[in-house]
Amino acid sequence: MPLFGIDCMRSKHTEQERYLKANDREFNLKFNYVNNQIKTSKYNVFTFLPINLFEQFQRIANAYFLFLLMLQLIPQISSLSWYTTVVPLMLVLIITAVKDAIDDFHRYKSDNQVNNREVMILINGKLRREKWMHVQVGDIIKMENNHFVTADLLLLSSSEPYGLVYIETAELDGETNLKVKQALTVTSDMGENTQDLAEFDGEVKCEAPNNRLDKFRGTLTYKENKYSLDNEKIILRGCTLRNTEWCFGLVIFAGQDTKLMQNSGLSTLKRTNIDRLMNVLVLWIFGFLVMMCTVLAVGNSIWESYKGYYFQVYLPWIHDPPNSSFSGFLMFWSYVIILNTVVPISLYVSIEVIRLGSSFYIDWDTKMYYPKKNTPASARTTTLTEELGQIQYIFSDKTGTLTQNIMIFNKCTINGKMYGHVHDFSGQRTDITARTEKVDFSLNSMADPKFVFYDHSLLEAVKIGDPKVHEFFRLLSLCHTVMPEEKQKGLLVYQAQSPDEGALVTAARNFGFVFRSRTPETITVVEMGETKTYELLSILDFDNVRKRMSVIVRHPDKKLYLYCKGADTIVFERLNSSSQHLRDITTSHLDEFAGDGLRTLALAYKELNEVYFENWQKRYQEASTALENRDEQLSELYEEIEMDLKLLGATAVEDKLQDGVPQTIQTLSKAKIKIWVLTGDKQETAVNIGYACNMLHEDMRKIFIIEGNNSEEVRVELRKASATMKEQDETEDEVINIKQPKKQVILPEEHVDGEYGLVINGDTLAHALEDLEVEFLKTACLCKTVICCRVTPLQKAQVVELVKKYKKAITLAIGDGANDVSMIKAAHIGVGISGEEGAQAVLSSDFSFAQFRYLQRLLLVHGRWSYFRMCRFLRYFFYKNFAFTFVHFWYGFFCGFSAQTVYDEWFITLYNLVYTSLPVLAMSLFDQDVNDRWSMVYPELYEPGPLNLYFNKLAFVECIIHGVYSSLVLFFIPYGALFEAVRDDGKTVSDYQSFALIAQTCLLVAVTLQIALDTTYWTAINHFFIWGSLAVYFAITFTMYSNGMYLMFPTSFPFIGTARNALNQPHVWLTIFLTAALCVLPVVIIRYLKVELKPTFSNKLQYRINQTKMLPPKQTISHLRRPSARRSAYAFAHQRGFGALITSGKNMRTRTINFKPSKTNTSSSIDKQKT
């Protein structure tokens, strides 16, 4: 268990290579490998107190108050009791500790939930159900369908032929398409024979634990034979087993050593920008305090030397003559205690209360509640709310965050006719709404009930037997690599390598062309209720160069056909000249689809001549067995047979975005927030989403694709991009200027004319982050949009850390999967989307909600208000305490520098605790310059936050100046007014007690008027707290200064009768009024001049609202259509398709085929060759 941050389970030496034996726990325990228990919480019962106190005393103010407490324990210098500091300090420490304990307890519960999941472990030849945390390296475990993978496993055997398994890696890389892993033949033959598995004693040597998700190197030694191990034989923790009944695996890495946990990053203590600034300001204040105390101490030494002899009645000498230097030394520490109210500990109590209130507002916000999943927004931490108002960079995942992980067959064009739009009776297009009538597929018993389409004319065309429409859907039902599974009779489920492909096959299914089953040699389709079996002769599979796939099939009528689908630019180059007219029409349709942000795919076919195909087969056999230039020869043959195609039409699939994503991104961009997309998805898919979200658009001057195989190539690409944006030549001077700095620097903001985009993949990014981080960051920050694709979870965190390191900016990371955890932890603010990929991201986040669109409300409303209120609070709090404390400083010159307090001790105790605490809390919890709807309509209101305009070092200096001025007024006007003054009856009121009462009354009235000026949004609570606190002051004052209190506690309440004697004089009230007016008058004048001469955007908006009584417009989610000529090709799988696997027959199970194909002796020689 980790103790003080040290993981005691891990071996002390750095692991260079892993060596383990299957089924031999005793041998593996010698290496001290960690077990499968994970720990994301920071504390345990023993470490909570020391670690939490250590973290809390990293806050300079807490250490400062601890130092003051020690001073107050020294009677020679303390004029205040020790409990006046220890009680509030303990209160702050306890409140913060309880809050931290609750946060960490939630993490602990989450860890327990995962660690206590159950799995079958093979122990002594028998399968036992054990908890995940008891799994150890070298164990053989059994996984079942739809279960999460327990640890990083070497696949041994499975229920599928040839030891295949299908896995979904959404939690690792965000991809929802299925991937295939295959066991070694020597282990797959063991099947589920527990006896054979128990006797398996293979030895594995492999790489040490690391965070590389796509690489694995190792060897298996079994029965004196060595077998090479690579990533294709490893199943990683975080994956989900799909379409596979069971599999057995050997645990290679467990717990914290798994690649998922290696990519998760460490939980760090997050402090806000305000906290960091406060640490600096406390140091300033401490320096200022030392300076004031030094002046007063020197004054005391001088006074004792020259004047002390004459005032021994009031300040008796302990030694005669006294040591004036020692007296000054003691007075220095006495004034440190008296003047410590410059930063009272109540400041930090109030800050925690304000943050807690802001977090409750987020939890209670019904406009961030998602009713479909009954998911409210949640502030999982209460210490970062004002940071939400200062975000400059947002790092977003794509899959599940911007998109819904849902692909929808939206529109299509067949033989020059477009389908998918809805028309009214006059033939005009109408928008699709919730009331629009859906196409009824109830007559098709095998239709997918979830499929929705609105254009009834397409179904009519199918019913009347339009040959082109039938051929269109026949192509969709044949040209794919989808695997069908009939879990229950009549319940057909498709397992697709890509969600796009699944959407197209499902569309064909609902329109009457149901893909039912396949073998290596056949495809069975139910066409309009009639079962037809097509002979599959060849699959010309997809790859990133071809950007298309084709199948060659023999129809039941013995005719040969080639069906092809792919990127429209690729397919159009291979069309027959007779398709030119149809191509022009289809192109216009594709342009319209692209304008709607849809992903398009062109479909074509041709009938093949039997003699030609036999000749082509022979040449294909020769090319397949060629020892040299095999790939080039095969590519030429593919090109040859895929020429002279006839165009059928095109499909348009919507990679469905979450509601309001484009509008949210557009709104946040207006707030000058930069959004970077960091995704594990492939480049084309990521760019498509960039266009769909309006992050990329045709009006951009250029979109740079950064690609390079080494650091030098990447450097050249980055410099070219930077030179292009800056419109200058790449000179040697420029090269010198952008070399890596020897020490950390903050890169300044640079601006260029026009908008640019930058796209970079994971391999290239690795070079950029290793050797060229500053150059990469400079280039990226010149662009409006940055998209990093094919990145690992750790690379996501590295990009965030890079921006944090070199840009003085607050960052926010948002994601929904386990692959986003490290990024969420690395950013200043982590936001989790409670989506389809589990709760790992939410559990690691600071804030969570169900939809990306709620991010704009979180930032523009809650974030802006929290920052606005916190800054108002700090400015006022520092002002009122400077005004309060500096009066002591001036009084020191009139009391022999004797550390005598100006005010009554009870007033000093209650000033921050009772008299001024509630009004400032009311302002800090309820104040707003404009309401939430205006904040959403005008995102420009957010800009002061990232620029840190509301509270900074300059604002702090202004608070000091304001406080010093007020303290001068508060001391000298009452002093002058009472100097030799008398009452109406001739009695004096120029005594110390009367002066103390009038000075403190002037102070309280002045700070009350100041907070009334600072409050812009008045509620009943504000009125009650502000004027009520003033009333409470007078009530307490008259009570404490009464005869009764003096008689009961004569030493505690010495100001007997002072209130009634002083406050019944008119000139005293005139003094109070004059003092308070002079304190607030400069503020009123300065604010008036600022609004008139240099108004902010908020000032202008408030003026317009007040003058015109405008109401904010209601917000609606409208569809943003982007004009674009860019067309997006169909996103096939991220790696080479399943074509070779299908034709080899390795992934076929005879028992799952629910039909009997006709016997045939015909078998393609191509398939034999592939087998």
Side-chain angles (χ1 to χ4, degrees):
M1 184 172 289
L3 186 63
F4 296 98
I6 301 171
D7 197 343
C8 301
M9 294 186 295
R10 192 178 287 279
S11 55
K12 293 182 181 179
H13 67 278
T14 303
E15 190 175 347
Q16 301 295 328
E17 182 183 57
R18 176 146 297 196
Y19 179 44
L20 61 100
K21 286 185 180 180
N23 293 313
D24 193 341
R25 281 192 170 185
E26 185 177 349
F27 174 83
N28 297 324
L29 285 173
K30 294 189 299 184
F31 298 95
N32 294 322
Y33 297 139
V34 299
N35 61 24
N36 204 44
Q37 183 178 9
I38 63 167
K39 184 178 186 294
T40 59
S41 56
K42 292 194 294 185
Y43 314 112
N44 59 39
V45 175
F46 303 105
T47 64
F48 172 73
L49 195 59
I51 292 179
N52 188 262
L53 286 176
F54 174 75
E55 289 177 346
Q56 290 204 57
F57 282 111
Q58 284 183 335
R59 181 181 279 172
I60 293 175
N62 286 345
Y64 166 65
F65 290 121
L66 183 63
F67 173 69
L68 282 179
L69 174 61
M70 293 176 182
L71 289 181
Q72 285 184 303
L73 297 176
I74 304 172
Q76 287 82 0
I77 63 174
S78 178
S79 56
L80 295 173
S81 301
W82 61 271
Y83 54 80
T84 58
T85 297
V86 75
V87 172
L89 178 60
M90 289 295 295
L91 185 64
V92 170
L93 295 177
I94 290 171
I95 290 174
T96 306
V98 169
K99 180 174 60 63
D100 290 344
I102 292 172
D103 290 344
D104 201 62
F105 181 68
H106 288 311
R107 289 190 287 267
Y108 169 77
K109 285 176 63 178
S110 168
D111 292 342
N112 265 1
Q113 183 183 359
V114 174
N115 290 329
N116 289 318
R117 289 176 182 168
E118 293 187 338
V119 68
M120 302 295 286
I121 308 179
L122 188 62
I123 302 176
N124 299 326
K126 294 182 180 179
L127 286 171
R128 294 183 185 176
R129 192 168 292 278
E130 295 281 353
K131 294 179 179 179
W132 275 28
M133 61 178 156
H134 296 150
V135 173
Q136 296 185 15
V137 172
D139 287 350
I140 293 178
I141 63 176
K142 181 181 181 180
M143 305 294 303
E144 296 178 339
N145 194 30
N146 296 325
H147 283 195
F148 285 111
V149 176
T150 307
D152 290 354
L153 309 175
L154 169 64
L155 180 60
L156 297 179
S157 62
S158 78
S159 58
E160 303 303 299
Y162 302 96
L164 295 174
V165 296
Y166 298 92
I167 58 171
E168 183 182 278
T169 60
E171 290 231 2
L172 288 175
D173 54 18
E175 298 176 9
T176 54
N177 52 287
L178 297 183
K179 294 180 175 63
V180 177
K181 303 286 184 177
Q182 185 173 14
L184 291 166
T185 305
V186 68
T187 61
S188 65
D189 291 342
M190 293 187 289
E192 56 181 334
N193 188 320
T194 54
Q195 188 63 34
D196 291 347
L197 289 164
E199 293 173 357
F200 177 68
D201 59 354
E203 298 179 7
V204 174
K205 281 187 178 181
C206 66
E207 60 191 20
N210 58 74
N211 54 45
R212 296 189 298 270
L213 295 174
D214 56 345
K215 292 181 181 179
F216 181 85
R217 289 181 298 177
T219 58
L220 169 67
T221 304
Y222 181 52
K223 293 183 179 179
E224 300 183 353
N225 292 319
K226 278 192 175 183
Y227 304 90
S228 176
L229 302 178
D230 57 25
N231 204 46
E232 297 304 311
K233 299 171 181 64
I234 301 296
I235 310 176
L236 301 181
R237 178 176 181 142
C239 298
T240 307
L241 201 64
R242 299 293 190 198
N243 203 23
T244 307
E245 289 186 16
W246 53 262
C247 75
F248 284 88
L250 172 66
V251 178
I252 305 294
F253 301 124
Q256 301 295 138
D257 284 344
T258 59
K259 292 181 183 286
L260 174 66
M261 296 306 295
Q262 291 281 310
N263 275 286
S264 292
L266 299 173
S267 294
T268 57
L269 179 66
K270 293 186 177 182
R271 294 292 187 197
T272 67
N273 195 38
I274 293 289
D275 279 335
R276 292 187 290 272
L277 177 61
M278 286 291 294
N279 279 343
V280 175
L281 297 183
V282 167
L283 288 176
W284 284 19
I285 292 171
F286 184 72
F288 200 53
L289 179 65
V290 169
M291 185 178 68
M292 288 194 299
C293 293
T294 301
V295 170
L296 294 169
V298 171
N300 177 262
S301 296
I302 297 172
W303 192 88
E304 285 288 351
S305 299
Y306 294 99
K307 296 287 185 180
Y309 175 80
Y310 303 104
F311 288 87
Q312 290 187 60
V313 174
Y314 304 103
L315 298 172
W317 286 353
I318 299 174
H319 304 288
D320 189 10
N323 186 334
S324 60
S325 298
F326 183 69
S327 174
F329 174 77
L330 292 179
M331 284 303 148
F332 175 87
W333 296 110
S334 296
Y335 272 112
V336 167
I337 295 172
I338 289 176
L339 301 179
N340 80 82
T341 50
V342 178
V343 185
I345 200 164
S346 59
L347 170 66
Y348 290 93
V349 177
S350 301
I351 286 176
E352 295 300 327
V353 171
I354 293 166
R355 287 172 173 168
L356 185 65
S358 299
S359 66
F360 281 145
Y361 287 152
I362 295 171
D363 293 340
W364 297 335
D365 192 346
T366 56
K367 293 181 180 178
M368 295 171 68
Y369 170 74
Y370 191 55
K372 290 184 180 179
K373 293 184 180 178
N374 190 28
T375 306
S378 174
R380 296 175 53 80
T381 180
T382 58
T383 58
L384 303 171
T385 49
E386 76 271 9
E387 196 97 304
L388 291 169
Q390 297 184 274
I391 302 300
Q392 287 177 267
Y393 287 85
I394 293 175
F395 301 92
S396 175
D397 178 42
K398 181 193 75 68
T399 308
T401 303
L402 301 178
T403 65
Q404 298 184 30
N405 286 348
I406 298 173
M407 301 291 180
I408 296 176
F409 180 83
N410 194 291
K411 295 179 178 66
C412 64
T413 173
I414 305 174
N415 197 32
K417 183 176 181 181
M418 187 188 300
Y419 297 94
H421 290 290
V422 178
H423 301 82
D424 57 19
F425 294 108
S426 64
Q428 298 296 318
R429 287 184 186 176
T430 59
D431 292 333
I432 295 173
T433 65
R435 297 182 178 180
T436 305
E437 184 183 0
K438 301 173 184 176
V439 174
D440 183 9
F441 295 106
S442 59
L443 294 178
N444 182 354
S445 60
M446 287 184 283
D448 185 343
K450 297 178 182 178
F451 181 83
V452 175
F453 202 73
Y454 294 96
D455 190 350
H456 296 260
S457 63
L458 183 55
L459 185 60
E460 293 301 320
V462 172
K463 287 180 178 179
I464 63 176
D466 187 320
K468 292 294 184 181
V469 174
H470 277 216
E471 198 69 15
F472 179 89
F473 286 114
R474 185 177 294 115
L475 186 153
L476 293 181
S477 66
L478 294 171
C479 187
H480 57 78
T481 57
V482 173
M483 298 297 299
E485 182 181 11
E486 193 165 6
K487 295 185 177 181
Q488 301 173 8
K489 190 170 182 179
L491 182 60
L492 194 61
V493 177
Y494 292 146
Q495 299 288 354
Q497 201 178 4
S498 164
D500 305 59
E501 198 161 53
L504 296 177
V505 178
T506 300
R509 167 183 175 179
N510 277 59
F511 283 102
F513 288 74
V514 184
F515 166 59
R516 190 63 184 271
S517 59
R518 68 160 75 242
T519 71
E521 297 86 16
T522 62
I523 298 176
T524 300
V525 180
V526 179
E527 296 184 4
M528 306 301 291
E530 180 184 353
T531 302
K532 293 184 179 181
T533 301
Y534 293 83
E535 184 182 351
L536 178 61
L537 300 176
S538 183
I539 296 178
L540 311 185
D541 212 350
F542 165 85
D543 63 37
N544 286 318
V545 177
R546 284 168 42 75
K547 296 187 183 296
R548 65 190 185 279
M549 76 165 290
S550 301
V551 294
I552 300 173
V553 297
R554 191 186 302 275
H555 281 224
D557 61 5
K558 303 304 179 184
K559 290 183 178 180
L560 285 174
Y561 279 88
L562 179 144
Y563 293 108
C564 177
K565 66 181 181 184
D568 53 271
T569 53
I570 301 296
V571 172
F572 285 177
E573 293 173 355
R574 289 157 178 77
L575 293 179
N576 186 286
S577 57
S578 62
S579 298
Q580 183 60 46
H581 178 65
L582 179 57
R583 171 182 171 173
D584 294 339
I585 299 173
T586 305
T587 299
S588 65
H589 292 170
L590 288 170
D591 290 339
E592 185 171 339
F593 296 158
D596 291 331
L598 304 177
R599 299 163 67 169
T600 58
L601 178 69
L603 310 183
Y605 75 106
K606 69 184 286 189
E607 185 175 354
L608 296 175
N609 179 276
E610 188 77 41
V611 176
Y612 167 76
F613 179 67
E614 289 179 1
N615 175 266
W616 185 85
Q617 275 186 312
K618 292 177 182 178
R619 287 184 288 137
Y620 180 85
Q621 287 181 12
E622 294 172 1
S624 299
T625 56
L627 298 178
E628 295 181 358
N629 301 323
R630 180 184 301 177
D631 291 339
E632 289 79 359
Q633 292 183 44
L634 290 174
S635 179
E636 289 177 6
L637 286 170
Y638 289 164
E639 288 285 339
E640 176 189 322
I641 201 167
E642 288 176 330
M643 293 301 291
D644 208 29
L645 302 175
K646 294 181 180 178
L647 184 62
L648 265 176
T651 60
V653 173
E654 180 183 2
D655 188 358
K656 196 165 182 61
L657 297 173
Q658 289 192 13
D659 293 338
V661 166
Q663 294 82 0
T664 299
I665 290 174
Q666 188 180 62
T667 301
L668 294 177
S669 296
K670 289 180 180 177
K672 302 295 175 62
I673 299 174
K674 293 185 177 181
I675 303 175
W676 293 17
V677 174
L678 310 178
T679 177
D681 224 332
K682 72 170 187 174
Q683 180 174 306
E684 184 176 3
T685 309
V687 171
N688 290 342
I689 294 300
Y691 275 96
C693 295
N694 292 316
M695 296 176 67
L696 301 175
H697 52 81
E698 297 296 324
D699 294 334
M700 282 185 166
R701 288 194 174 185
K702 190 170 183 179
I703 297 171
F704 300 99
I705 309 294
I706 307 298
E707 295 178 320
N709 297 318
N710 54 56
S711 297
E712 190 55 40
E713 291 181 8
V714 177
R715 179 182 282 109
V716 171
E717 291 287 324
L718 290 172
R719 287 179 179 169
K720 285 182 179 177
S722 181
T724 301
M725 287 185 280
K726 293 180 178 179
E727 296 180 348
Q728 62 185 25
D729 295 330
E730 182 186 354
T731 63
E732 186 63 28
D733 289 336
E734 177 68 13
V735 173
I736 293 172
N737 289 337
I738 56 180
K739 283 184 178 178
Q740 299 293 103
K742 292 181 180 178
K743 62 179 181 179
Q744 182 176 336
V745 295
I746 301 299
L747 297 180
E749 288 292 332
E750 295 183 274
H751 302 281
V752 295
D753 294 331
E755 295 181 352
Y756 297 88
L758 185 143
V759 180
I760 187 170
N761 62 42
D763 293 335
T764 306
L765 184 62
H767 297 297
L769 293 175
E770 184 176 353
D771 304 317
L772 309 165
E773 56 180 19
V774 174
E775 196 158 343
F776 164 67
L777 185 60
K778 277 191 170 186
T779 305
C781 289
L782 293 174
C783 301
K784 180 185 178 184
T785 299
V786 177
I787 297 177
C788 302
C789 48
R790 303 302 285 161
V791 294
T792 65
L794 188 64
Q795 283 180 320
K796 292 183 177 184
Q798 288 173 336
V799 172
V800 176
E801 291 287 0
L802 179 63
V803 174
K804 287 173 62 179
K805 182 179 179 182
Y806 291 110
K807 303 292 288 186
K808 195 175 181 181
I810 306 301
T811 59
L812 179 146
I814 180 169
D816 73 321
N819 58 316
D820 303 314
V821 168
S822 55
M823 172 177 73
I824 286 171
K825 289 181 177 180
H828 292 99
I829 300 287
V831 177
I833 301 273
S834 50
E836 306 294 336
E837 299 181 14
Q840 197 69 31
V842 171
L843 294 173
S844 302
S845 66
D846 304 306
F847 302 90
S848 67
F849 40 71
Q851 293 279 288
F852 181 84
R853 70 175 184 269
Y854 297 148
L855 182 61
Q856 63 177 322
R857 185 169 180 84
L858 182 71
L859 300 186
L860 302 185
V861 177
H862 293 286
R864 197 182 78 84
W865 278 353
S866 295
Y867 173 69
F868 172 79
R869 291 164 177 169
M870 183 63 73
C871 293
R872 284 285 184 96
F873 164 79
L874 290 173
R875 292 183 71 122
Y876 173 75
F877 208 98
F878 279 123
Y879 158 71
K880 76 181 181 68
N881 281 284
F882 283 137
F884 173 84
T885 305
F886 273 104
V887 175
H888 285 299
F889 180 76
W890 309 126
Y891 184 61
F893 291 89
F894 294 83
C895 69
F897 306 97
S898 59
Q900 169 70 40
T901 59
V902 180
Y903 316 113
D904 172 23
E905 284 192 7
W906 283 106
F907 179 79
I908 295 173
T909 304
L910 299 175
Y911 178 71
N912 283 304
L913 187 65
V914 176
Y915 300 147
T916 61
S917 60
L918 292 179
V920 71
L921 280 179
M923 180 188 72
S924 306
L925 291 173
F926 303 110
D927 202 30
Q928 51 184 263
D929 51 352
V930 295
N931 65 29
D932 59 333
R933 286 164 65 184
W934 285 117
S935 297
M936 297 282 278
V937 172
Y938 289 99
E940 296 85 353
L941 290 167
Y942 188 82
E943 291 182 31
L947 297 176
N948 213 21
L949 296 181
Y950 287 155
F951 187 76
N952 48 41
K953 293 174 183 176
L954 179 61
F956 176 72
V957 172
E958 291 174 358
C959 291
I960 294 178
I961 295 171
H962 188 196
V964 170
Y965 164 78
S966 295
S967 68
L968 287 167
V969 173
L970 290 166
F971 178 78
F972 285 103
I973 289 184
Y975 178 81
L978 295 183
F979 189 72
E980 297 183 353
V982 294
R983 288 165 40 88
D984 295 338
D985 56 8
K987 295 180 179 179
T988 182
V989 289
S990 58
D991 60 288
Y992 162 72
Q993 291 186 347
S994 297
F995 173 74
L997 172 67
I998 294 170
Q1000 65 195 35
T1001 304
C1002 290
L1003 170 68
L1004 198 65
V1005 172
V1007 297
T1008 301
L1009 289 178
Q1010 182 62 47
I1011 200 167
L1013 282 175
D1014 288 346
T1015 302
T1016 55
Y1017 183 72
W1018 285 88
T1019 66
I1021 296 175
N1022 291 88
H1023 280 291
F1024 179 75
F1025 281 170
I1026 290 174
W1027 312 123
S1029 293
L1030 203 56
V1032 166
Y1033 162 73
F1034 285 109
I1036 291 176
T1037 299
F1038 276 98
T1039 301
M1040 289 195 304
Y1041 296 176
S1042 65
N1043 295 353
M1045 295 298 291
Y1046 175 76
L1047 292 174
M1048 287 187 290
F1049 309 100
T1051 58
S1052 299
F1053 299 97
F1055 281 51
I1056 179 172
T1058 306
R1060 66 173 180 266
N1061 289 333
L1063 295 180
N1064 64 358
Q1065 299 300 305
H1067 76 273
V1068 170
W1069 285 105
L1070 178 62
T1071 300
I1072 294 171
F1073 172 77
L1074 178 63
T1075 304
L1078 286 175
C1079 284
V1080 300
L1081 186 61
V1083 178
V1084 174
I1085 294 172
I1086 291 172
R1087 289 185 182 178
Y1088 174 78
L1089 292 175
K1090 279 186 176 180
V1091 171
E1092 288 295 320
L1093 303 177
K1094 197 177 179 181
T1096 63
F1097 184 84
S1098 178
N1099 295 144
K1100 295 175 183 177
L1101 182 59
Q1102 288 180 68
Y1103 177 78
R1104 286 181 58 197
I1105 294 171
N1106 293 332
Q1107 287 296 109
T1108 61
K1109 305 298 181 185
M1110 288 192 304
L1111 293 175
K1114 291 184 178 179
Q1115 277 207 306
T1116 58
I1117 297 177
S1118 58
H1119 178 69
L1120 291 179
R1121 188 179 188 279
R1122 58 177 180 88
S1124 173
R1126 179 186 180 277
R1127 296 194 293 277
S1128 165
Y1130 165 63
F1132 291 93
H1134 300 312
Q1135 64 277 349
R1136 189 175 179 85
F1138 285 163
L1141 195 62
I1142 291 171
T1143 53
S1144 70
K1146 288 184 177 181
N1147 62 336
M1148 302 297 174
R1149 281 185 290 174
T1150 312
R1151 55 187 168 82
T1152 61
I1153 301 172
N1154 45 46
F1155 68 98
K1156 290 185 178 181
S1158 58
K1159 293 183 179 180
T1160 176
N1161 295 323
T1162 306
S1163 179
S1164 168
S1165 59
I1166 298 175
D1167 299 328
K1168 292 177 183 177
Q1169 180 62 41
K1170 286 185 178 180
T1171 305

